[in-house]
């Protein structure tokens, strides 16, 4: 299993970024995907997730209404991609963002429930 994030960068407050998580070796039909972030000196925080069982999304209160998770509905699971659209970005959104995957996870933002992780992509929001 391989997860590769991309799309991070530097953006001004109020701007938008779209992160991508390219997955190989797993199927989004049975693996749920979570997005997490870790700011300097802080623990890993769950941002949002999408469940494989019903494709329902769940977000943390800190990003609800600003971030959206979606899946590229390709018929080829070997090239599936999950997106994190981030709008109305704030300086406190600055962090390394990770995507994670695992089987049988439903609506969880607990990092301990995810066994597969990408390498992360840096998002920096300036004033």
């Amino acid at each position: 299993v391989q997860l590769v994030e991309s799309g991070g960068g530097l953006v001004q407050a109020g701007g938008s970024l779209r992160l991508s998580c390219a997955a190989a070796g797993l199927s989004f039909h049975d693996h749920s995907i979570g997005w997490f972030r870790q700011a300097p000196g802080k623990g890993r925080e769950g941002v949002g997730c999408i469940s494989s069982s019903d494709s329902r999304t769940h977000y943390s209160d800190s990003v609800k209404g600003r971030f959206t998770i979606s899946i590229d509905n390709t018929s080829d699971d070997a090239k599936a991609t999950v997106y994190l659209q981030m709008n109305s970005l704030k300086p406190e959104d600055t962090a390394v963002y990770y995507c994670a995957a695992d089987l049988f996870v439903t609506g969880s933002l607990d990092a301990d429930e995810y066994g597969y992780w990408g390498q992360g992509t840096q998002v920096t929001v300036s004033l």
Side-chain angles (χ1 to χ4, degrees):
V1 174
Q2 185 177 24
L3 301 172
V4 179
E5 303 95 336
S6 61
L10 174 64
V11 64
Q12 287 188 326
S16 299
L17 280 176
R18 189 178 76 162
L19 305 184
S20 300
C21 174
L26 61 82
S27 169
F28 289 148
H29 296 298
D30 53 23
H31 284 76
S32 294
I33 302 296
W35 282 97
F36 296 81
R37 66 186 181 186
Q38 188 165 18
K42 295 187 177 181
R44 194 162 291 189
E45 174 192 11
V47 173
C49 60
I50 183 165
S51 297
S52 60
S53 58
D54 55 11
S55 297
R56 294 183 69 176
T57 53
H58 176 66
Y59 301 95
S60 67
D61 289 341
S62 61
V63 307
K64 196 174 296 181
R66 299 188 298 122
F67 290 12
T68 304
I69 295 173
S70 61
I71 293 180
D72 180 9
N73 291 321
T74 177
S75 59
D76 184 354
D77 283 335
K79 299 180 181 178
T81 302
V82 178
Y83 300 100
L84 179 66
Q85 178 67 43
M86 306 186 295
N87 298 328
S88 301
L89 283 162
K90 305 174 181 180
E92 52 263 44
D93 294 319
T94 295
V96 177
Y97 283 72
Y98 301 87
C99 66
D102 216 317
L103 292 166
F104 312 125
V105 178
T106 302
S108 175
L109 296 181
D110 183 350
D112 290 338
E113 296 198 30
Y114 292 83
Y116 303 109
W117 290 82
Q119 84 289 349
T121 185
Q122 175 71 46
V123 171
T124 303
V125 184
S126 63
L127 289 170

